[in-house]
Amino acid sequence: MADVQPQRPQMFEITAAEISRLVARFYARIRAHEVLGPVFGAAITDWPAHEAKIEAFWRGAILREPGYAGNPMQIHLANAAVKPEHFPLWLELFRDTANRELKPEAAAAFASLADRIGNGLSYGIENFRRPEGAPPVLA
């Protein structure tokens, strides 16, 4: 008899439709952002495909749905235009969009998760790109 692992419950109350709406509104704002817009615009040629991939990422992280295959750290490291100083701007815009689009509890939980992921990516980029012999960046 196979060992069946129980599925973990979703992280907080949110629907797939709410995630989709948040992602769409967030990336519309990203495209218009004076600093982040050019960085994303240079890297993304197919916005619908990118948004679908990001929706799958968030549905996997929050709703525990399968479907996302990727390595966010590797992707961000591969793009030299992505700088650690972009992450506070990204997170501020994400938090504001979540607050506009979601119920307060879901917005706070989603923004908190995005903060953890964004901060991890930022620290990872700083450390992987630091000059040889330079001390590591600490969280």
Side-chain angles (χ1 to χ4, degrees), residues 81-134:
V82 175
K83 308 283 187 213
E85 58 267 22
H86 292 139
F87 286 92
L89 300 172
W90 183 96
L91 292 169
E92 179 182 331
L93 190 61
F94 190 89
R95 181 176 297 281
D96 184 65
T97 306
N99 285 332
R100 291 176 184 209
E101 298 298 327
L102 302 173
K103 294 174 187 165
E105 300 81 16
F110 208 152
S112 178
L113 178 58
D115 284 342
R116 290 193 307 272
I117 292 168
N119 288 329
L121 289 170
S122 179
Y123 290 126
I125 287 171
E126 285 183 278
N127 281 307
F128 280 111
R129 292 184 183 162
R130 70 184 163 87
E132 189 173 325

Side-chain angles (χ1 to χ4, degrees), residues 19 23 26-27 49-59 68 90 94:
I19 291 171
V23 167
F26 174 68
Y27 281 107
H50 177 73
E51 290 180 21
K53 187 174 195 170
I54 301 304
E55 286 176 32
F57 171 82
W58 288 123
R59 285 193 316 270
Y68 176 77
W90 183 96
F94 190 89

Side-chain angles (χ1 to χ4, degrees), residues 64-78:
R64 312 296 192 202
E65 291 181 5
Y68 176 77
N71 183 327
M73 180 61 75
Q74 188 175 44
I75 291 166
H76 289 87
L77 276 171

Side-chain angles (χ1 to χ4, degrees), residues 27 29-43 47 93:
Y27 281 107
R29 294 181 75 193
I30 283 284
R31 288 190 290 278
H33 194 275
E34 69 178 32
V35 175
L36 299 174
V39 174
F40 278 81
W47 282 98
L93 190 61

